[in-house]
Amino acid sequence: MKKEKKIIITIDGWSSCGKSTLAKQLAKELNYKYIDSGAMYRAITLYFLRNHVDWTKPALVSDALKNITIEFIYNDKSKESEIYLNGENVEYLIRDLVIAEKVSDVAAIKLVREFAVAQQKKMGDEKGIVMDGRDIGTVVFPGAELKIFMTADNAVRVQRRFKELFEKNPNVTLEEVKNNLEMRDYIDSHREYSPLRKADDAIMLDNTDLTEKEQLDIALKWVKEKNN
């Protein structure tokens, strides 16, 4: 029986399209490593906020980045990789709305993106990874064997994000979530350095009306095609 070769799978797309859900599903099904690139930018944002780094000043950003170490460590209990910032598990701290409101600004900074992209490229050396984000198929792994670009109806995205945040913070409002998503979409797609866009060879996946199992089945079919 032919042994399936390991490939790199990139999943890009808009906020709250379920990129990380699909990426985790695929990684688990294929026994691949899952890398949440967005979590890296969130962790950097957390560090900047905690240490009062003025990210409008390149020299201060450059100095701050020298003090940041980011790792993904597998948690046997949750069966998922969790992000560590300078040795501290910040997997849940980085999901706060305060981080969500600032992360697109921080992620738009050229120095920050260069720092994160360099680490992401190293993570793909041995293949067998699924990485989701905004510029994974266009900048980080332009030669990836399978590139997926996810999208969904705006109203559906707002509801998904609201449900996720409401469980952690019952005071959050639908309007706040809607405004945050619109702001992030604009910044992500208009930033000067590696803006969000669909790679020419990426396959579009609109999951507005799909269940998690349905989208996984579609993606697994694409993986199988790439392995033939």
Side-chain angles (χ1 to χ4, degrees), residues 47-127:
Y47 181 89
F48 284 3
L49 289 171
R50 277 179 169 180
N51 293 278
H52 311 289
V53 177
D54 182 349
W55 56 74
T56 64
K57 295 185 167 58
L60 296 180
V61 169
S62 180
D63 286 343
L65 290 173
K66 290 171 189 170
N67 297 315
I68 294 176
T69 301
I70 292 173
E71 299 171 281
F72 285 91
I73 298 175
Y74 189 75
N75 182 326
D76 285 324
K77 286 186 180 177
S78 67
K79 305 295 182 190
E80 290 181 1
S81 291
E82 295 177 344
I83 191 163
Y84 282 69
L85 170 65
N86 295 338
E88 176 193 358
N89 186 329
V90 294
E91 183 66 33
Y92 298 101
L93 290 173
I94 62 170
R95 308 299 169 183
D96 194 87
L97 188 59
V98 174
I99 303 295
E101 286 173 346
K102 304 294 182 187
V103 66
S104 288
D105 289 334
V106 171
I109 300 166
K110 189 170 187 283
L111 283 170
V112 171
R113 294 206 79 81
E114 287 172 344
F115 171 82
V117 167
Q119 294 195 37
Q120 290 158 8
K121 284 180 181 288
K122 276 186 202 168
M123 293 172 184
D125 284 349
E126 295 176 15
K127 300 214 171 187

Side-chain angles (χ1 to χ4, degrees), residues 67-194:
N67 297 315
I68 294 176
T69 301
I70 292 173
E71 299 171 281
F72 285 91
I73 298 175
Y74 189 75
N75 182 326
D76 285 324
K77 286 186 180 177
S78 67
K79 305 295 182 190
E80 290 181 1
S81 291
E82 295 177 344
I83 191 163
Y84 282 69
L85 170 65
N86 295 338
E88 176 193 358
N89 186 329
V90 294
E91 183 66 33
Y92 298 101
L93 290 173
I94 62 170
R95 308 299 169 183
D96 194 87
L97 188 59
V98 174
I99 303 295
E101 286 173 346
K102 304 294 182 187
V103 66
S104 288
D105 289 334
V106 171
I109 300 166
K110 189 170 187 283
L111 283 170
V112 171
R113 294 206 79 81
E114 287 172 344
F115 171 82
V117 167
Q119 294 195 37
Q120 290 158 8
K121 284 180 181 288
K122 276 186 202 168
M123 293 172 184
D125 284 349
E126 295 176 15
K127 300 214 171 187
I129 69 164
V130 187
M131 190 178 291
D132 68 318
R134 304 287 192 282
D135 63 346
I136 312 304
T138 53
V139 175
V140 183
F141 297 119
E145 291 86 350
L146 175 59
K147 300 177 187 176
I148 299 171
F149 189 91
M150 293 183 70
T151 187
D153 180 81
N154 280 4
V156 171
R157 290 169 55 215
V158 169
Q159 283 293 342
R160 286 174 183 167
R161 184 73 177 138
F162 175 71
K163 185 182 175 190
E164 178 189 341
L165 287 172
F166 186 81
E167 289 172 3
K168 297 167 189 168
N169 176 15
N171 294 319
V172 72
T173 67
L174 197 63
E175 191 64 23
E176 279 179 315
V177 173
K178 182 174 179 288
N179 291 339
N180 176 247
L181 271 187
E182 287 173 354
M183 177 195 71
R184 289 180 66 189
D185 284 351
Y186 183 84
I187 294 172
D188 289 344
S189 57
H190 287 79
R191 64 178 173 235
E192 184 181 358
Y193 188 69
S194 60

Side-chain angles (χ1 to χ4, degrees), residues 9-43:
I9 302 169
T10 67
I11 303 178
D12 292 302
W14 305 99
S15 297
S16 301
C17 278
K19 296 186 298 295
S20 61
T21 298
L22 177 59
K24 287 175 186 174
Q25 287 175 319
L26 277 173
K28 192 174 182 182
E29 195 75 25
L30 299 167
N31 201 23
Y32 277 20
K33 184 183 282 188
Y34 164 61
I35 304 294
D36 179 357
S37 77
M40 295 175 73
Y41 293 105
R42 285 171 174 266

